[in-house]
């Protein structure tokens, strides 16, 4: 049976969705959230307790157009999680279907919601959840980091990461081919990768020394060039960075 979260900023729509889902025998329990930020907090709690924990969520029934963080934004954030819940979009707008399925949505249900159409979405989610294969997780590979993109887990080589950008409790890993959002604070990556040549240059940035192309100093302002991107170096980190680069070039 499925544990569900319904997300909609319009109270009547949310109440109708909760009622319909609660009446489906395949739904073990359903909660509601009035916006994507509230939903993200609830999903974070679910992921912390694990897939078999009391707060787990199997599927999110998600509106798209909401103030602030919208449904597509939330779905993109969830692609950075190792085991995100399934997503069913429930919306009054047809225009976002392509984007929704690019994010590996299970289904795309249009409002006004018909009970039989929602039941079909529940069936699809239930089938996917029951047939999903769990891969045992062993010791992490120090040379690779698993990231999830559109429901597919890929492995990013640490040596390919040029720099990391802080995003609250998340971090965005940048490589020459693109970027990936992972649920890990920058401080944890700094500690984990210090011995691999990563150094903090700013409260928002961690960089790989081997990928620094230039060190620029202009009227007391220090920055580094990584590829075509210029990143500012804070004053507190400037001296340490210069010393590390000097020692590296002296080898």
């Amino acid at each position: 049976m499925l544990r569900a979260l319904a997300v909609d900023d319009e109270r009547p729509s949310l109440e109708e969705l909760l009622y319909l889902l609660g009446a489906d025998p395949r739904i073990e329990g359903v909660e509601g959230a009035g916006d994507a930020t509230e939903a993200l907090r609830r999903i974070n709690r679910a992921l912390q307790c694990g897939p078999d924990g009391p707060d787990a969520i199997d599927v999110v029934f998600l509106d798209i157009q909401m103030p602030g963080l919208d449904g597509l934004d939330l779905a993109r954030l969830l692609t950075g999680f190792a085991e995100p819940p399934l997503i069913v979009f429930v919306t009054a707008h047809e225009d976002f279907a392509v984007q929704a399925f690019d994010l590996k949505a299970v289904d795309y249900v249009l409002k006004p919601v018909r009970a039989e159409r929602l039941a079909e979405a529940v069936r699809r989610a239930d089938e996917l959840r029951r047939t999903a294969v769990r891969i045992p997780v062993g010791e992490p590979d120090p040379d690779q980091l698993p990231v999830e993109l559109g429901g597919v887990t890929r492995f990013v080589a640490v040596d390919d990461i040029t720099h990391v950008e802080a995003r609250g409790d998340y971090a965005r890993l940048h490589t020459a081919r693109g970027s990936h959002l992972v649920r890990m604070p920058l401080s944890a990556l700094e500690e984990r990768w210090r011995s691999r040549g990563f150094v903090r240059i700013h409260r928002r940035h961690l960089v790989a020394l081997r990928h620094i192309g230039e060190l620029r100093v202009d009227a007391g302002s220090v920055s580094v060039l990584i590829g075509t991107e210029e990143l500012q170096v804070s004053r507190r980190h400037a001296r340490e960075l210069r010393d590390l680069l000097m020692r590296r070039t002296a080898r």
Side-chain angles (χ1 to χ4, degrees), residues 241-251:
L241 177 63
R242 280 197 293 257
D243 290 346
L244 286 169
L245 288 173
M246 288 289 288
R247 288 202 296 270
R248 191 176 183 85
T249 54
R251 289 175 187 174

Side-chain angles (χ1 to χ4, degrees), residues 91-105:
T91 176
H93 305 277
E94 299 181 4
D95 305 342
F96 303 104
V98 173
Q99 295 175 63
F101 287 114
D102 281 346
L103 291 166
K104 305 300 180 185

Side-chain angles (χ1 to χ4, degrees), residues 5-177:
L5 176 67
V7 187
D8 200 309
D9 64 309
E10 296 180 356
R11 191 68 198 176
S13 296
L14 180 59
E15 289 178 351
E16 179 185 20
L17 195 53
L18 289 171
Y19 172 77
L20 292 173
L21 291 171
D24 193 304
R26 292 162 296 197
I27 301 291
E28 179 180 349
V30 58
E31 299 178 45
D35 57 53
T37 302
E38 180 186 351
L40 184 58
R41 285 196 294 266
R42 178 63 186 86
I43 293 166
N44 267 322
R45 191 164 79 245
L47 293 171
Q48 286 168 7
C49 81
D52 300 317
D55 292 325
I57 294 172
D58 299 309
V59 56
V60 180
F61 292 83
L62 183 58
D63 189 18
I64 289 183
Q65 289 201 327
M66 294 182 287
L69 193 70
D70 68 22
L72 292 171
D73 291 332
L74 176 58
R76 290 188 190 98
L77 279 174
L78 293 181
T79 64
F81 291 87
E83 292 187 75
L86 301 172
I87 297 290
V88 173
F89 285 104
V90 183
T91 176
H93 305 277
E94 299 181 4
D95 305 342
F96 303 104
V98 173
Q99 295 175 63
F101 287 114
D102 281 346
L103 291 166
K104 305 300 180 185
V106 174
D107 209 341
Y108 194 89
V109 179
L110 289 174
K111 297 177 181 178
V113 178
R114 294 181 291 112
E116 60 272 22
R117 181 65 184 85
L118 186 64
E120 171 61 17
V122 173
R123 184 196 67 76
R124 292 181 183 182
D126 184 46
E127 187 175 88
L128 276 174
R129 180 58 62 184
R130 284 188 292 105
T131 57
V133 177
R134 282 191 192 168
I135 301 173
V137 178
E139 289 297 315
D141 185 342
D143 296 322
Q144 294 185 314
L145 193 71
V147 299
E148 189 149 328
L149 182 63
V152 178
T153 301
R154 294 181 171 87
F155 291 88
V156 176
V158 174
D159 287 346
D160 289 341
I161 297 169
T162 59
H163 60 290
V164 187
E165 181 183 359
R167 292 288 182 91
D169 292 333
Y170 300 83
R172 183 166 289 283
L173 311 176
H174 292 267
T175 71
R177 292 180 294 278

